[in-house]
Amino acid sequence: MEGFKQDFVSRIWFTYRREFPTLAGSAYTTDCGWGCMLRSGQMMLAQALVCHFLGRAWRWQNSSPRNELIHRTIVRWFGDLSSKSTPFSLHRLVGIGESSGKKAGDWYGPASVAHIIKQSLEVCAKDEPLLSDICVYVAQDCTVYKKDVLSLCGQEDDCDSNNVRSTVASSRSTCLRPKGIIVLVPVRLGGEILNPIYFKCVQAILSNEHCIGIIGGRPRHSLYFVGWQEDKLIHLDPHYCQEAVDVRSPNFPLQSFHCMSPRKLSFSRMDPSCTIGFYCRTRADVSRFLASCNEVSSFFSDLNVLWGLALASFRRVIWHESVRKERRNWDLLLQQIVLQVLTPPHPQADYPVFVVAENSEQHHVLPYGLVQSLGCDQSFAEYAGEAQQSEDEDYEEFVFL
C-alpha cells in the first residue's frame, strides 16, 4: 500500500487554475468549467515526460537534487503562460486547437486532445532541444500500424536514458536517436455507456508496463485514469480550481501539482469515449509493447481482426468521399452495411479495444473478398488503401462494435 501511495503522489496533477494571463482572443483568465480534458491530457503527457527523463521508478519523495531539477523543469513546461518556455501550457494548447476550429471556452474531446498533444510536441521540438528526442503517434480507426510506429522511433544508437537525464540537468543538447515515443489510441468502447465486455481489457491495459494512463471520465467530465482496484478505476481529477502558479520563479511551489488523495470511479460510470496512452523509450520497448497489445486488448480470432480492419478501411473511404458535415449520415449508412454485409464471422466473440496491423497505414487495402461482396472492383480497394483520411479531430464517434 505504501508503494502505491508513493507512486500516486509522484504523478503530476494539473487542475483548473484561475487568475492566469488572459487567453488570446478571449477574456478568459480561468479554465474552470471547460478545460478539464486539456488538463487530463496535460497529466498524461507529463507522465510520459517523467518516464522519458526520470524513469518509471522515479518517486518524488526520494528525488535527488538533480532529479528534482528535472521534475521542476517538466512542471514548468506546463505553466499557465503563453511563452516558448511553457510549450504545453493551456495557452499554447488552446492556440493549437484553434487550427481545428476550437477556441477558449469550448469543451474538448479525448481524440481532439490526442492530436493537440501530438502537434504541441512537434512545434516545441524546434525551440526546445530537450524535447527533440520524443515524438507522438496517434492511432487512426483504433488501429496501430507497426511500421509507422517503428519508423517514428528511429534506430538504436549509443543514446541511453542516463545520457538524457544528465542532458536535462545540464541543459546541453541531447541525442536525437533513438526517439522515445508516446502512442495515443483514441477509442470508443460502447454506445452511450461503456460496454461491460471491455472491463477486463481496460484493467489489462492499465496494468501494462508501457501504459501511461487513459484520459476519459464521465460524460462531459474528464478524468485521468491511472489504475484500478476491483471494479473501480483510480483517477486524478482536474476539477479543483486553484490559484495560478508563476513558474518563472526559480523555486516556485510544487505542492499544488501533486495530489495526496486518490479517488475512484466505478467502471460502469466510465464514458466509452477515451484515449489510451503508452510510452516506449527504445525500439526494444516498442517491440515488447506491440507484442503485448494482442494480450491486453482482446482474445479473438484472426478472422475478426480482418473484419475490423476492413471496416476501418471502408470507413476511411466514406470519410474521404463525403462532405464533412454529412459524415454522420454516412455513418448511418455504414452501420446498415455492417448489419447486412459485414457481419463478423463470430458474432459472440469479444472485439478488441484496438488492433495492431503490419506495414503502414498507407499500405492498408480492403480485402478482395469484401470488395466483391460490396459489388466494387479491385481499383476501388486500391483507392481505399491509398486515400488519405480527411481527418476532423473533433469527430469523436468511433464505431467499435
Side-chain angles (χ1 to χ4, degrees), residues 227-364:
W228 59 277
Q229 182 182 41
E230 298 177 345
D231 62 342
K232 290 182 170 58
L233 290 153
I234 300 169
H235 62 81
L236 285 162
D237 190 345
H239 299 85
Y240 177 58
C241 193
Q242 305 184 82
E243 292 280 345
V245 174
D246 186 356
V247 297
R248 294 170 294 189
S249 172
N251 296 307
F252 65 89
L254 289 167
Q255 286 73 17
S256 67
F257 295 102
H258 291 274
C259 181
M260 303 298 163
S261 304
R263 304 183 70 176
K264 292 189 283 188
L265 177 78
S266 172
F267 271 97
S268 61
R269 298 180 65 195
M270 178 182 176
D271 190 286
S273 181
C274 58
T275 289
I276 305 167
F278 301 92
Y279 168 76
C280 299
R281 182 69 189 89
T282 65
R283 280 179 69 92
D285 288 340
V286 172
S287 297
R288 285 195 297 271
F289 157 65
L290 294 173
S292 70
C293 284
N294 289 334
E295 299 175 9
V296 302
S297 65
S298 64
F299 306 93
F300 64 107
S301 71
D302 290 341
L303 289 176
N304 281 325
V305 176
L306 291 175
W307 178 83
L309 293 176
L311 177 59
S313 278
F314 189 71
R315 185 185 180 88
R316 278 200 296 276
V317 175
I318 287 179
W319 280 355
H320 186 81
E321 289 295 305
S322 65
V323 178
R324 290 191 177 195
K325 66 181 180 180
E326 296 178 350
R327 277 199 307 202
R328 295 182 186 272
N329 294 332
W330 277 103
D331 276 343
L332 294 176
L333 173 62
L334 175 59
Q335 291 175 25
Q336 293 176 5
I337 294 174
V338 169
L339 292 175
Q340 297 177 19
V341 180
L342 302 183
T343 303
H346 302 290
Q348 301 303 317
D350 293 352
Y351 293 104
V353 174
F354 62 92
V355 295
V356 176
E358 296 290 336
N359 297 320
S360 63
E361 184 178 3
Q362 64 181 357
H363 293 142
H364 184 61

Side-chain angles (χ1 to χ4, degrees), residues 4-207:
F4 163 75
K5 289 181 180 178
Q6 290 188 9
D7 187 6
F8 182 84
V9 170
S10 298
R11 301 286 179 127
I12 297 177
W13 182 40
F14 294 115
T15 69
Y16 289 152
R17 296 281 175 171
R18 61 179 179 270
E19 297 181 13
F20 52 61
T22 305
L23 291 164
S26 77
Y28 285 103
T29 58
T30 179
D31 60 319
C32 288
W34 59 271
C36 57
M37 188 64 76
L38 288 173
R39 296 300 188 181
S40 295
Q42 285 181 322
M43 286 190 271
M44 186 158 68
L45 176 56
Q47 178 61 20
L49 295 175
V50 166
C51 292
H52 184 72
F53 292 113
L54 294 170
R56 180 63 182 85
W58 174 79
R59 297 294 180 267
W60 184 32
Q61 298 86 343
N62 304 315
S63 187
S64 67
R66 186 181 69 170
N67 285 349
E68 192 57 20
L69 175 60
I70 300 172
H71 171 215
R72 190 175 292 277
T73 298
I74 293 173
V75 173
R76 182 177 287 114
W77 284 336
F78 294 86
D80 293 311
L81 300 168
S82 182
S83 167
K84 287 186 177 181
S85 65
T86 56
F88 310 122
S89 67
L90 186 79
H91 296 66
R92 298 292 292 273
L93 299 184
V94 168
I96 291 173
E98 290 177 353
S99 64
S100 58
K102 291 289 189 180
K103 61 182 183 298
D106 287 349
W107 196 86
Y108 295 71
S112 302
V113 171
H115 288 278
I116 289 173
I117 289 173
K118 174 180 171 64
Q119 291 178 55
S120 68
L121 258 176
E122 291 173 349
V123 170
C124 73
K126 301 172 184 176
D127 301 316
E128 177 52 81
L130 299 177
L131 295 168
S132 63
D133 73 332
I134 184 169
C135 59
V136 178
Y137 171 87
V138 181
Q140 302 294 335
D141 302 314
C142 307
T143 305
V144 175
Y145 290 90
K146 183 176 179 180
K147 187 174 180 180
D148 291 341
V149 173
L150 291 172
S151 176
L152 275 176
C153 68
Q155 300 295 324
E156 295 286 6
D157 59 15
D158 294 331
C159 248
D160 60 36
S161 58
N162 291 328
N163 289 340
V164 174
R165 293 177 201 175
S166 62
T167 298
V168 177
S170 63
S171 297
R172 291 194 298 266
S173 60
T174 187
C175 306
L176 295 180
R177 290 208 182 281
K179 285 191 174 185
I181 187 167
I182 302 167
V183 178
L184 302 178
V185 188
V187 296
R188 188 169 183 89
L189 307 178
E192 294 299 319
I193 60 173
L194 181 70
N195 191 328
I197 203 170
Y198 292 114
F199 286 4
K200 290 192 178 299
C201 287
V202 172
Q203 290 176 340
I205 287 170
L206 287 170
S207 302

